[in-house]
Amino acid sequence: MNLKRFFGGLLTILGIVGLIYTAVLFTGTSGETRDVKALIVYGILGIVFFMSGISLVRSTKDES
């Protein structure tokens, strides 16, 4: 098994979880500053993990 491909899949899954968590927080916020900061942090981390995971999976070649 290719370690880079596994790590890319793991990053992608973590990114999806982060984006879903951001959506859940978004639905339950009241608009306070603390809520907005948490949304921004989790959203950015989710996007970064998701994009880096997808990029790592796409750029890794299959070698059997």
Side-chain angles (χ1 to χ4, degrees), residues 7-19:
F7 190 62
L10 182 67
L11 282 175
T12 304
I13 291 171
L14 283 175
I16 291 170
V17 169
L19 290 173

Side-chain angles (χ1 to χ4, degrees), residues 1-62:
M1 181 199 265
N2 198 346
L3 188 60
K4 283 185 183 179
R5 205 160 181 99
F6 173 75
F7 190 62
L10 182 67
L11 282 175
T12 304
I13 291 171
L14 283 175
I16 291 170
V17 169
L19 290 173
I20 290 172
Y21 186 64
T22 303
V24 169
L25 283 181
F26 180 72
T27 59
T29 59
S30 60
E32 295 178 13
T33 305
R34 192 176 120 208
D35 295 337
V36 173
K37 286 181 184 177
L39 284 173
I40 291 172
V41 168
Y42 292 133
I44 289 175
L45 283 176
I47 289 171
V48 167
F49 281 2
F50 182 74
M51 293 305 231
S52 63
I54 292 292
S55 174
L56 195 58
V57 168
R58 289 182 69 200
S59 66
T60 305
K61 298 195 186 317
D62 284 332

